[in-house]
Amino acid sequence: MSEFQLLQWFKALHLAFMVAWFAGIFYLPRLFVYHAESKEPLVHAQLQIMERRLLFFITPFAILTIVFGTGMLWIYGLGWLKQMHWMHIKLLLITFLVAYHIYCFHLVKKIKRSAHFRSGRWFRIFNEIPVLALFAIIILAVLKPAIGT
């Protein structure tokens, strides 16, 4: 397999796992909203199960997104990375998204102890963070703006 073919496979897998990761990372905070706004103990119990399972289900997608993205960076090389300032911003946003994902583990534990420690409105706003990050990442990856040159 040529380096170009390998790059294309990494890119395809990176995008597929990224879509799966984001599907979950968009839905999980919506479950938090339902949890915060419900007063029914049975609903809380069901949502706790759904939240935990979803988070553990999407975590491998996040890891594989990073693995194949790192593989692409490896193929492009350090020289390319040093020159592509837009990629530095993208990597910063990805680091932020990984922190967001890890923070969701904290939220799942905290919601289990107290379903109403944050409002539904707070979780709605929290839910918009990955949407904004995704828009910025896609714009950077597609337009590859000349930043800092």
Side-chain angles (χ1 to χ4, degrees), residues 88-106:
H88 303 164
I89 298 169
K90 180 183 173 195
L91 292 172
L92 182 66
L93 288 167
I94 292 165
T95 301
F96 177 75
L97 284 169
V98 169
Y100 180 95
H101 186 104
I102 292 167
Y103 184 64
C104 286
F105 278 98
H106 169 75

Side-chain angles (χ1 to χ4, degrees), residues 66-139:
I66 293 164
V67 165
F68 288 108
T70 302
M72 287 189 297
L73 289 176
W74 173 73
I75 292 170
Y76 281 122
L78 188 57
W80 177 88
L81 180 59
K82 286 181 181 178
Q83 294 176 2
M84 298 298 125
H85 299 289
W86 64 269
M87 180 58 80
H88 303 164
I89 298 169
K90 180 183 173 195
L91 292 172
L92 182 66
L93 288 167
I94 292 165
T95 301
F96 177 75
L97 284 169
V98 169
Y100 180 95
H101 186 104
I102 292 167
Y103 184 64
C104 286
F105 278 98
H106 169 75
L107 290 174
V108 166
K109 287 179 185 176
K110 200 155 184 175
I111 290 170
K112 186 176 183 179
R113 289 185 296 232
S114 172
H116 302 289
F117 81 99
R118 298 267 191 214
S119 70
R121 178 177 157 83
W122 188 92
F123 284 117
R124 280 188 177 86
I125 294 167
F126 181 74
N127 194 25
E128 299 306 320
I129 294 169
V131 174
L132 298 173
L134 179 63
F135 285 160
I137 288 169
I138 289 173
I139 288 167

